[in-house]
């Protein structure tokens, strides 16, 4: 697996960028410092990459599009985990979390 990990290149697309912004916005619900959120995102890239590599083992044909799609799914799952955790910890509904994410994304975009 380590050999494969060195060879696989994850090409990001617009969806990856959007999901990254949502991940950072989720982090900012707990810590409003964008730099902390951005650092945390990149610190978690190794774990996401390992998940992508693991899922690629079940794929017949590996190409850039497939790798990107799997990466985006892994990242979307991370975002969903953030949301589910926040709902549980804060005892709130999904709509409230989405509002908080939207507020953080508005901050990021400004």
């Amino acid at each position: 697996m380590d050999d494969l990990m060195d060879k696989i290149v994850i090409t990001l697309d617009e969806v990856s960028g959007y999901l990254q912004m949502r991940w950072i916005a989720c982090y900012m619900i707990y810590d409003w410092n964008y730099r902390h959120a951005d650092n945390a995102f990149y610190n978690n890239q190794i774990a996401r990459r390992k998940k992508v590599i693991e899922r690629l083992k079940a794929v017949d044909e590996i190409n850039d599009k497939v790798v990107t799609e799997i990466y985006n799914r892994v990242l979307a799952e991370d975002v969903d985990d953030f949301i589910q955790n926040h709902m549980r910890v804060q005892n709130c509904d999904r709509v409230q979390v989405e509002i908080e994410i939207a507020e953080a994304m508005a901050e990021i975009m400004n």
Side-chain angles (χ1 to χ4, degrees), residues 14-72:
E14 294 83 13
V15 174
S16 311
Y18 177 77
L19 289 167
Q20 178 178 346
M21 280 182 30
R22 281 187 57 85
W23 192 99
I24 289 171
C26 286
Y27 185 97
M28 288 177 66
I29 292 172
Y30 297 98
D31 179 354
W32 201 249
N33 187 315
Y34 175 81
R35 287 186 184 158
H36 294 171
D38 193 50
N39 285 337
F41 178 83
Y42 286 105
N43 287 338
N44 285 290
Q45 280 291 78
I46 293 171
R48 282 189 286 275
R49 184 176 177 78
K50 286 180 181 178
K51 288 179 184 177
V52 169
I53 299 300
E54 188 61 35
R55 291 181 188 187
L56 284 171
K57 291 177 182 179
V59 174
D60 292 331
E61 183 180 336
I62 298 174
N63 58 50
D64 288 346
K65 183 179 179 190
V66 168
V67 173
T68 301
E69 287 172 354
I70 291 172
Y71 173 80
N72 287 344

Side-chain angles (χ1 to χ4, degrees), residues 78-104:
D78 279 356
V79 170
D80 190 60
D81 287 347
F82 246 132
I83 291 168
Q84 295 300 321
N85 186 55
H86 189 68
M87 288 169 52
R88 188 173 48 258
V89 169
Q90 296 300 319
N91 194 29
C92 63
D93 62 9
R94 176 94 185 206
V95 172
Q96 181 59 41
V97 179
E98 289 295 342
I99 290 169
E100 292 175 30
I101 291 169
E103 290 169 349

